[in-house]
């Protein structure tokens, strides 16, 4: 296996007090995002808030201000515009109550045809989601995250021990919450694409944590004369090269999607980049310290008896 660094001896567990402060601040951002979601003040996409989305392809290039002026002049208000300049496409999104939906997409299309008579338009897609459907999707998304967390705890507890399950679950929860918090801080739209990214991040974070835990478990069995803290440090250093290589190669793929994948998956790729970086951090500085702190006196863990 390729190694980019060899025989490191970094005292990761000695940094746990500092990283605890860092993680606490990051989690605070995540809890603020949860509060905004609960109170409805977050920037929810129409997937969750309800509304209409129409994607239009123009024959010639138009700028967003021209589109904005045309819609304003025809009485269509409170919309968000997003352009795809390389494809001459514009996405118009409007959050509306159920009673205001229905013919709204037809009004938008008619207004643009009338406003740009010399620029032929093609309707790529139209989506209308009522607020009741949006609320159900929001509820289903929360359940998906909760159930995924419970199954992660159960799998790791079965695969290793309960304290490893707690560490892995806490790290996964940490990663998902921090990415959600950063998106909320950046006022990025929270929609089903982000939920898909969060579940993907949870899977990546879990895989990375299992690799570290597997080495810790093996070393705890055979290295019985050293304190647990040193065994955990030794284990993380042994898999550090593998962790860095995996993270960098995955970041390259996510980076390619971010820069060249187009606007549709731009936020998904951004969430993945953040999730990979935070997931790598949490495997070392969140999951492993929890396993260590399970025994505060650093005495030999019962795991060595297995």
């Amino acid at each position: 296996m390729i190694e980019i660094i060899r025989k490191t001896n970094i005292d990761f567990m000695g940094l746990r007090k500092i990283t605890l402060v860092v993680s606490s601040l990051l989690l605070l951002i995540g809890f603020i995002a949860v509060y905004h979601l609960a109170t409805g003040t977050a920037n929810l996409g129409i997937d969750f808030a309800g509304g209409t989305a129409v994607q239009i392809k123009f024959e010639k290039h138009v700028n967003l201000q021209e589109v904005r002026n045309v819609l304003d002049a025809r009485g269509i208000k409170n919309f968000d515009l997003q352009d795809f300049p390389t494809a001459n496409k514009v996405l118009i999104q409007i959050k509306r109550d159920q009673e205001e939906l229905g013919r709204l997409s037809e009004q938008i299309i008619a207004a643009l045809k009338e406003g740009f008579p010399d620029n032929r338009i093609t309707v790529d897609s139209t989506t209308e989601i009522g607020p009741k459907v949006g609320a159900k999707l929001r509820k289903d998304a929360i359940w998906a995250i909760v159930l995924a967390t419970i199954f992660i705890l159960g799998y790791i507890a079965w695969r290793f021990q309960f304290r490893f399950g707690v560490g892995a679950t806490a790290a996964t929860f940490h990663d998902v919450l921090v990415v959600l918090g950063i998106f909320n801080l950046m006022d990025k739209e929270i929609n089903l694409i982000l939920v898909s990214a969060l579940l993907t991040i949870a899977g990546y974070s879990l895989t990375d944590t299992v690799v570290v835990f597997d080495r810790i478990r093996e070393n705890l069995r055979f290295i019985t004369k050293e304190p647990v803290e040193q065994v955990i440090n030794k284990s993380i250093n042994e898999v550090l090269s593998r962790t860095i290589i995996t993270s960098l190669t995955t970041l390259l793929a996510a980076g390619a999607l971010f820069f060249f994948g187009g606007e549709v998956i731009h936020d998904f790729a951004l969430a993945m980049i953040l999730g990979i970086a935070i997931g790598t951090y949490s495997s070392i500085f969140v999951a492993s310290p929890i396993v260590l702190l399970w025994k505060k006196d650093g005495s030999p863990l019962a795991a060595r008896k297995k």
Side-chain angles (χ1 to χ4, degrees):
M1 182 177 177
I2 298 175
E3 289 185 319
I4 58 174
I5 54 175
R6 297 181 179 179
K7 297 181 180 179
T8 56
N9 188 27
I10 303 172
D11 182 13
F12 292 105
M13 294 302 98
L15 299 171
R16 63 182 183 276
K17 291 182 179 177
I18 298 174
T19 56
L20 176 63
V21 175
V22 174
S23 295
S24 299
L25 292 175
L26 292 174
L27 284 173
L28 179 62
I29 297 172
F31 284 120
I32 291 174
V34 172
Y35 171 77
H36 285 167
L37 284 173
T39 57
T41 54
N43 181 14
L44 297 176
I46 65 169
D47 302 332
F48 296 145
T52 294
V54 182
Q55 183 166 297
I56 303 290
K57 177 176 175 57
F58 288 86
E59 185 180 28
K60 307 171 191 173
H61 174 72
V62 294
N63 65 53
L64 288 185
Q65 190 57 47
E66 290 177 323
V67 177
R68 190 179 302 279
N69 292 340
V70 166
L71 296 178
D72 275 337
R74 284 153 182 82
I76 299 173
K77 306 292 183 184
N78 300 323
F79 51 82
D80 295 320
L81 298 179
Q82 183 178 354
D83 66 336
F84 310 96
T86 56
N88 291 334
K89 293 182 180 179
V90 175
L91 176 64
I92 303 110
Q93 296 185 89
I94 305 178
K95 297 173 186 176
R96 285 288 189 274
D97 296 332
Q98 180 70 49
E99 58 269 19
E100 297 179 14
L101 294 177
R103 300 185 60 187
L104 189 53
S105 59
E106 295 175 8
Q107 294 173 19
I108 293 172
I109 295 167
L112 293 177
K113 284 183 176 177
E114 184 181 340
F116 297 96
D118 299 326
N119 195 348
R120 188 168 63 89
I121 67 173
T122 305
V123 180
D124 270 2
S125 64
T126 61
T127 304
E128 290 189 347
I129 298 177
K132 290 182 179 178
V133 176
K136 184 179 185 306
L137 288 173
R138 189 166 64 243
K139 183 179 178 181
D140 290 347
I142 293 172
W143 271 110
I145 293 174
V146 170
L147 289 175
T149 303
I150 292 173
F151 280 117
I152 287 170
L153 176 62
Y155 168 72
I156 300 296
W158 169 75
R159 181 75 172 76
F160 297 92
Q161 291 181 14
F162 183 71
R163 58 172 163 270
F164 285 91
V166 173
T169 305
T172 304
F173 181 74
H174 167 276
D175 300 343
V176 169
L177 206 56
V178 171
V179 174
L180 179 65
I182 293 175
F183 260 63
N184 183 61
L185 198 64
M186 297 170 68
D187 199 29
K188 290 282 186 181
E189 192 173 271
I190 297 172
N191 50 32
L192 284 177
I193 293 177
L194 178 61
V195 173
S196 303
L198 293 178
L199 292 175
T200 307
I201 290 167
Y204 176 86
S205 173
L206 177 63
T207 304
D208 199 53
T209 302
V210 164
V211 171
V212 176
F213 277 2
D214 199 46
R215 184 57 60 93
I216 292 174
R217 183 184 61 169
E218 291 301 314
N219 284 340
L220 283 172
R221 285 178 177 173
F222 300 110
I223 305 175
T224 58
K225 295 182 179 179
E226 295 182 13
V228 173
E229 183 173 342
Q230 290 184 18
V231 176
I232 293 178
N233 272 331
K234 179 181 177 66
S235 305
I236 297 174
N237 278 290
E238 286 177 353
V239 298
L240 186 61
S241 182
R242 179 266 176 202
T243 300
I244 293 175
I245 289 174
T246 303
S247 299
L248 288 178
T249 52
T250 316
L251 275 174
L252 284 175
L257 289 176
F258 180 80
F259 289 109
F260 307 113
E263 294 291 336
V264 175
I265 60 173
H266 188 269
D267 284 353
F268 178 88
L270 175 61
M272 288 303 301
I273 290 172
L274 293 171
I276 292 166
I278 295 167
T280 305
Y281 160 85
S282 72
S283 298
I284 298 172
F285 293 114
V286 177
S288 300
I290 288 176
V291 175
L292 174 64
L293 293 174
W294 201 263
K295 285 283 187 181
K296 293 182 179 179
D297 58 357
S299 60
L301 291 174
R304 301 184 185 204
K305 299 177 182 177
K306 291 193 70 176

